[in-house]
């Protein structure tokens, strides 16, 4: 069980487990959590919940009569108590609800329970060995796939095995919030913001919005919306806690018959069904879960001309090949629009940078798209990419393995594109659709005293860079590669100089933003065809690059990056084939240790196993490393590299 902080002794976490003024089974579970054992004496329960011993004894008897608890006499105490379900704990799930925190903790949930929970709750901690902890957030209720609150309440009761009035009351309030505002198209062609009541319009919308958003009131519950401000209105009201229903009559574009030539997995079909019902959304799932194929299922459902926006031209080519492979569309129906080629066709894949440029924008504005797909949509809130969201279409779909941002603007993803739609990672691991990689943080000693001394005297980002480029990591990478001689490996770096040094030391190509696109593609293709088994990669490999056969990833630097970067790098090994390994190297005793733990912590909550290992060096090994480092220094003395040159984002399109 997850060790969660308990609520007060007066918590009424369950109305149905016992009398409202007595002891509930949920409170017994809470006491059990705090005591750290499933079997408790009456005295322990009374002490933990701060109640009288006599009152607790009487209430324990009552729960035993109901069949919720079992009693057992032992020599050290007259009676101990434990939940009846412990009689058959190996094959029985247990659900405990904490309504004040809006948390649900589940031991051994079956697939049905997890599918039901996914409809209204977010899996916050998926470590199956310690239970599953779900959090019910406002956005989970706002996007719940139900036509009425009554239908949602039935789903909740099926998942929880009981009715919890306190939690349901809060959920109903959030459901109501999600249905207070809508955008619709007036018969004269302009957009109207409508509120459910004059009070909501006056106290919320007209307090938050100004002349940049609306022209003037039409009635007590309606405002005339300025053209192009729809996305801003949705964002402002979403942040105020009132998501807007979008019922505009947007053009659906020319019809385009698309047949999917692959069978969707059950969870992918669920994603498509939920998208079809809402008309928009973001497919959220781990790398390797088939979000791209599911997006093609959405394209087939819409049956209209489609614009796909991607971060790089490499990913554009990959999309074009995949669409041709898995759908009935031919090459003449698929176009790419980026720095390499510029073709607009019924299905067009363009880069965000190009789509946001004024001189190219009219090409996309003038065409009526039935669907716009935002791949790697965690970028959408950024100033460079968000201009592409002004493109209007009847349907919008985002794809992301990690819709999180370090600037806390992730809510904008869902206001600009659509609500999250996904399946918890652990369910995909358990079902074998995605291989769960083993993650290990390895704390590596310094390779030489020179760098160690430089680190001590450095400040700020320079301190981080020195730790990241610790030459002791070179030998650790060699060791890991020799320990897995049959693996296809990727080594990730953040700094160009480090990438070049590793490339020379390992005799492997280094792919960065400086690598020409045709050369980049050639190396990736050779890796896919098993003609290469090792690549050193900069940030260009963090997103979108499809390396389906990689089964070993070594992160040499980049631990000061985002949680999203950690997810993407770990995700390079997440594919149906098992046995994937991810090693994250951090210089021992430096800030990298904290960065590594922080960056990978959220992956542990998603269900992955994260281990930690301190690397020790013998005296002979240390001496050999120093000699090798000295040789490397003499060879690189005339290299002329820029010290601390860090890989930037991919170069802008032209």
């Amino acid at each position: 069980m997850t060790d969660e902080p308990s609520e007060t002794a007066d918590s009424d976490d369950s109305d149905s487990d016992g009398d409202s003024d007595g002891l509930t089974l949920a409170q017994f579970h809470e006491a059990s959590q705090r005591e750290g054992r499933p079997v408790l004496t009456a005295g322990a329960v009374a002490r933990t919940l701060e109640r009288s011993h006599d009152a607790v004894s009487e209430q324990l008897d009552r729960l035993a009569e109901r069949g919720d608890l079992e009693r057992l006499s032992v020599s050290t105490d007259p009676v101990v108590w434990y939940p009846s379900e412990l009689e058959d704990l190996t094959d029985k799930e247990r659900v405990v609800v904490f309504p004040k925190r809006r948390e649900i903790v589940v031991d051994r949930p079956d697939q049905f329970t997890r599918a039901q929970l996914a409809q209204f709750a977010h899996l916050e901690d998926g470590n199956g060995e310690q239970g599953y902890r779900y959090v019910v957030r406002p956005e989970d209720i706002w996007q719940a796939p139900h036509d009425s609150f009554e239908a949602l309440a039935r789903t909740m009761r099926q998942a929880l095995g009981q009715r919890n009035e306190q939690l349901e009351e809060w959920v109903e309030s959030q459901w109501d919030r999600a249905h207070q505002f809508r955008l619709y198209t007036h018969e004269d062609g302009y957009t109207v913001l409508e509120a459910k009541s004059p009070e909501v319009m006056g106290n919320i919308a007209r307090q938050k919005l100004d002349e940049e958003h609306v022209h003037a009131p039409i009635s007590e519950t309606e405002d005339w919306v300025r053209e192009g401000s729809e996305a801003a209105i949705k964002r402002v009201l979403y942040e105020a806690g009132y998501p807007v229903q979008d019922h505009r009559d947007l053009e659906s574009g020319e019809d385009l018959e698309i047949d999917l030539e692959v069978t969707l997995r059950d969870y992918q079909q669920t994603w498509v069904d939920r998208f079809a019902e809402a008309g928009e959304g973001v497919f959220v799932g781990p790398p390797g879960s088939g979000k791209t194929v599911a997006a093609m299922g959405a394209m087939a459902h819409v049956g209209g001309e489609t614009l796909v926006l991607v971060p790089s031209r490499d990913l554009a080519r990959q999309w074009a090949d995949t669409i041709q492979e898995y759908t009935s569309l031919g090459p003449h129906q698929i176009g790419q629009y980026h720095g390499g080629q510029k073709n607009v066709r019924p299905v067009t894949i363009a880069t965000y940078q190009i789509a946001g440029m004024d001189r190219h924008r009219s090409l996309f504005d003038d065409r009526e798209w039935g669907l716009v797909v935002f791949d790697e949509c965690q970028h959408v809130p950024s100033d460079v990419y968000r201009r592409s969201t002004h493109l209007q279409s009847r349907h919008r779909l985002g794809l992301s393995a990690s819709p999180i941002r370090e600037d806390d603007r992730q809510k904008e993803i869902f206001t600009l594109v659509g609500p999250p739609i996904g399946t918890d990672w652990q369910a995909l691991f358990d079902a074998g659709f995605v291989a769960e990689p083993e993650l290990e943080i390895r704390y590596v000693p310094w390779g030489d005293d020179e760098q160690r001394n430089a680190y001590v005297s450095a400040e700020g980002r320079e301190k981080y860079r020195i730790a990241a480029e610790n030459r002791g990591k070179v030998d650790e990478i060699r060791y890991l590669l020799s320990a897995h001689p049959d693996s296809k490996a990727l080594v990730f770096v953040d700094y160009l100089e480090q990438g070049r040094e590793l490339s020379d030391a390992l005799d492997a190509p280094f792919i960065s933003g400086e690598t020409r696109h045709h050369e980049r593609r050639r190396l990736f293709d050779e890796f896919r065809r098993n003609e290469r088994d090792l690549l050193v990669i900069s940030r260009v490999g963090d997103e979108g690059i499809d390396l389906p056969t990689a089964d070993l990833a070594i992160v040499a630097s980049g631990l000061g990056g985002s949680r999203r970067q950690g997810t993407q790098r770990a995700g390079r090994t997440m594919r149906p084939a098992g046995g994937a390994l991810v090693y994250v190297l951090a210089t021992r005793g430096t800030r990298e240790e904290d960065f590594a733990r922080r960056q990978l912590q959220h992956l542990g909550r998603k269900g992955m196993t994260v281990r930690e290992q301190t690397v020790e060096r013998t005296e002979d090994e240390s001496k050999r490393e120093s000699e090798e480092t000295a040789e490397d220094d003499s060879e690189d003395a005339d290299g002329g590299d820029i010290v601390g040159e860090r890989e930037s984002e991919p170069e802008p399109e032209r």
Side-chain angles (χ1 to χ4, degrees):
M1 273 306 283
T2 305
D3 185 14
E4 291 299 323
S6 62
E7 300 189 29
T8 66
D10 296 325
S11 170
D12 55 347
D13 282 353
S14 173
D15 306 314
S16 59
D17 289 340
D19 297 338
S20 60
D21 59 346
L23 179 69
T24 68
L25 180 59
Q27 288 167 340
F28 183 90
H29 286 315
E30 188 173 351
S32 177
Q33 283 183 285
R34 293 180 63 181
E35 290 291 311
R37 58 181 184 273
V39 180
L40 300 176
T41 64
V45 176
R47 180 179 63 254
T48 303
L49 299 181
E50 298 180 359
R51 300 187 182 188
S52 72
H53 187 284
D54 291 343
V56 165
S57 296
E58 181 180 343
Q59 292 156 3
L60 289 171
D61 283 330
R62 189 177 306 156
L63 288 175
E65 291 171 2
R66 289 163 51 94
D68 293 331
L69 294 181
E70 298 291 335
R71 56 168 64 88
L72 178 67
S73 297
V74 294
S75 59
T76 57
D77 194 279
V79 177
V80 292
W81 306 82
Y82 60 93
S84 300
E85 57 204 53
L86 289 181
E87 296 278 339
D88 191 23
L89 193 58
T90 57
D91 58 359
K92 184 176 180 181
E93 70 178 20
R94 178 161 68 99
V95 181
V96 182
V97 183
F98 301 94
K100 290 183 179 179
R101 300 198 302 267
R102 297 190 293 278
E103 293 185 3
I104 302 163
V105 180
V106 192
D107 274 341
R108 297 172 178 82
D110 60 27
Q111 290 296 329
F112 174 79
T113 298
R114 287 165 67 170
Q116 298 297 87
L117 285 168
Q119 296 185 49
F120 65 90
H122 170 71
L123 180 64
E124 185 71 20
D125 192 337
N127 190 333
E129 295 181 359
Q130 298 181 0
Y132 297 78
R133 183 167 66 93
Y134 290 83
V135 178
V136 186
R137 307 169 302 178
E139 55 265 38
D140 300 317
I141 305 306
W142 297 345
Q143 59 89 34
H146 295 281
D147 295 326
S148 65
F149 169 72
E150 289 71 23
L152 173 57
R154 284 195 297 272
T155 296
M156 291 177 60
R157 293 164 193 168
Q158 289 173 343
L160 305 180
Q162 61 182 357
R163 178 176 182 175
N164 192 293
E165 291 185 3
Q166 186 177 356
L167 182 60
E168 286 188 14
E169 182 179 342
W170 180 84
V171 168
E172 186 173 13
S173 71
Q174 294 301 318
W175 178 271
D176 288 341
R177 277 176 171 261
H179 295 82
Q180 294 296 321
F181 293 101
R182 74 176 183 121
L183 291 170
Y184 74 90
T185 303
H186 192 272
E187 60 183 11
D188 292 333
Y190 59 84
T191 300
V192 175
L193 173 67
E194 181 185 44
K196 199 171 184 179
S197 69
E199 292 75 20
V200 173
M201 176 61 84
N203 296 332
I204 304 299
R206 288 173 182 165
Q207 296 295 322
K208 299 289 184 181
L209 305 176
D210 53 33
E211 61 273 7
E212 295 182 4
H213 305 102
V214 296
H215 287 288
I218 300 174
S219 69
E220 288 185 336
T221 59
E222 296 172 305
D223 278 359
W224 176 15
V225 172
R226 287 189 180 275
E227 185 176 357
S229 67
E230 294 87 354
I233 289 173
K234 292 168 71 174
R235 183 178 68 256
V236 169
L237 293 179
Y238 188 100
E239 291 173 351
Y242 290 88
V244 178
Q245 303 290 311
D246 196 339
H247 296 163
R248 287 176 293 164
D249 298 329
L250 297 173
E251 296 294 337
S252 59
E254 295 293 328
D255 290 341
L256 179 64
E257 184 176 347
I258 303 175
D259 294 325
L260 198 60
E261 297 183 346
V262 63
T263 301
L264 295 178
R265 298 165 180 167
D266 289 344
Y267 68 87
Q268 291 172 319
Q269 187 62 56
T270 298
W271 293 354
V272 174
D273 292 343
R274 291 179 63 178
F275 164 80
E277 183 175 349
E280 61 182 11
V282 177
F283 289 168
V284 180
S289 58
K291 294 184 294 296
T292 302
V293 174
M296 293 173 197
M299 291 168 56
H301 166 77
V302 170
E305 297 193 347
T306 300
L307 173 65
V308 180
L309 297 174
V310 298
S312 68
R313 67 177 74 174
D314 288 322
L315 194 50
R317 296 189 186 99
Q318 187 174 301
W319 262 91
D321 293 342
T322 307
I323 291 172
Q324 188 173 342
E325 179 180 358
Y326 290 114
T327 74
S328 57
L329 299 178
H332 64 287
Q333 297 172 292
I334 306 169
Q336 297 180 51
Y337 201 99
H338 47 68
Q341 55 180 290
K342 294 179 173 62
N343 298 306
V344 178
R345 292 177 181 159
V347 173
T348 300
I349 305 104
T351 57
Y352 284 101
Q353 296 95 325
I354 285 283
M357 290 181 180
D358 291 336
R359 64 177 179 273
H360 301 291
R361 180 82 181 275
S362 61
L363 290 170
F364 304 108
D365 277 334
D366 293 344
R367 196 160 191 138
E368 295 176 352
W369 303 103
L371 171 67
V372 176
V373 179
F374 300 86
D375 198 6
E376 304 291 356
C377 66
Q378 64 273 3
H379 294 297
V380 162
S382 68
D383 295 336
V384 173
Y385 287 12
R386 73 181 301 133
R387 295 189 66 190
S388 63
T389 64
H390 296 165
L391 294 165
Q392 297 300 308
S393 68
R394 188 175 183 83
H395 301 284
R396 292 178 167 220
L397 175 65
L399 309 179
S400 181
S402 49
I404 53 177
R405 294 179 59 88
E406 303 308 307
D407 57 9
D408 292 326
R409 295 171 69 183
Q410 55 262 30
K411 284 186 178 180
E412 295 186 29
I413 300 170
F414 307 129
T415 60
L416 294 169
V417 181
I421 299 170
T423 303
D424 70 71
W425 292 31
Q426 187 64 47
L428 302 183
F429 295 154
D430 293 345
F433 290 124
V434 180
E436 176 185 355
E438 297 180 31
L439 274 69
E440 182 170 292
I441 306 173
R442 296 179 69 83
Y443 302 113
V444 181
W446 287 102
D448 57 60
D449 290 337
E450 180 185 355
Q451 282 191 312
R452 181 192 292 111
N453 295 335
Y455 176 85
V456 172
S457 59
E459 296 181 357
R461 296 297 299 176
E462 179 68 8
K463 207 176 189 74
Y464 166 73
R465 182 190 64 79
I466 295 171
E469 295 184 325
N470 171 18
R471 285 187 284 270
K473 294 179 180 180
V474 177
D475 286 275
E476 184 61 22
I477 293 170
R478 287 195 181 108
Y479 166 75
L480 292 173
L481 293 174
S482 65
H484 306 285
D486 299 324
S487 295
K488 295 184 63 177
L490 306 175
V491 179
F492 290 99
V493 299
D494 247 24
Y495 292 93
L496 297 178
E497 181 181 0
Q498 183 185 29
R500 297 175 190 128
E501 290 178 351
L502 282 173
S503 175
D504 292 339
L506 303 175
D507 191 23
F510 174 45
I511 300 175
S512 71
E514 296 178 346
T515 308
R516 298 184 66 85
H517 283 278
H518 68 85
E519 176 69 5
R520 210 186 288 181
R521 191 176 189 184
R522 179 184 68 81
L523 292 170
F524 287 143
D525 286 342
E526 290 176 355
F527 192 88
R528 292 188 187 97
R529 294 195 300 262
N530 297 323
E531 296 171 8
R532 290 189 178 275
D533 57 10
L534 177 62
L535 294 174
V536 181
I537 304 181
S538 71
R539 289 185 172 189
V540 299
D542 287 350
E543 295 178 341
I545 305 300
D546 183 18
L547 299 174
T549 56
D551 48 16
L552 174 63
I554 302 173
V555 180
S557 61
L559 305 184
S562 64
R563 291 167 291 168
R564 171 178 53 81
Q565 185 181 42
T567 301
Q568 295 290 353
R569 289 183 170 183
R572 296 303 96 206
T573 65
M574 286 188 202
R575 294 299 184 267
L581 299 168
V582 180
Y583 292 104
V584 176
L585 307 186
T587 299
R588 195 168 67 209
T590 70
R591 295 172 60 193
E592 273 200 315
E593 287 194 4
D594 294 332
F595 281 134
R597 291 191 185 99
R598 184 181 66 188
Q599 193 185 59
L600 300 180
Q601 184 181 44
H602 76 288
L603 293 177
R605 289 197 299 266
K606 289 180 180 295
M608 295 188 201
T609 301
V610 180
R611 299 189 302 268
E612 299 181 50
Q613 178 70 42
T614 298
V615 177
E616 302 292 348
R617 291 279 185 260
T618 65
E619 187 174 340
D620 289 341
E621 288 174 328
S622 299
K623 181 178 180 181
R624 184 175 69 251
E625 287 176 15
S626 298
E627 292 172 351
E628 291 174 350
T629 300
E631 293 175 2
D632 290 342
D633 287 344
S634 64
E635 292 173 359
D636 295 340
D638 299 323
D641 287 332
I642 300 174
V643 176
E645 184 184 6
R646 191 171 187 179
E647 172 70 1
S648 61
E649 296 296 330
E651 66 272 20
E653 298 279 357
R654 293 179 172 81

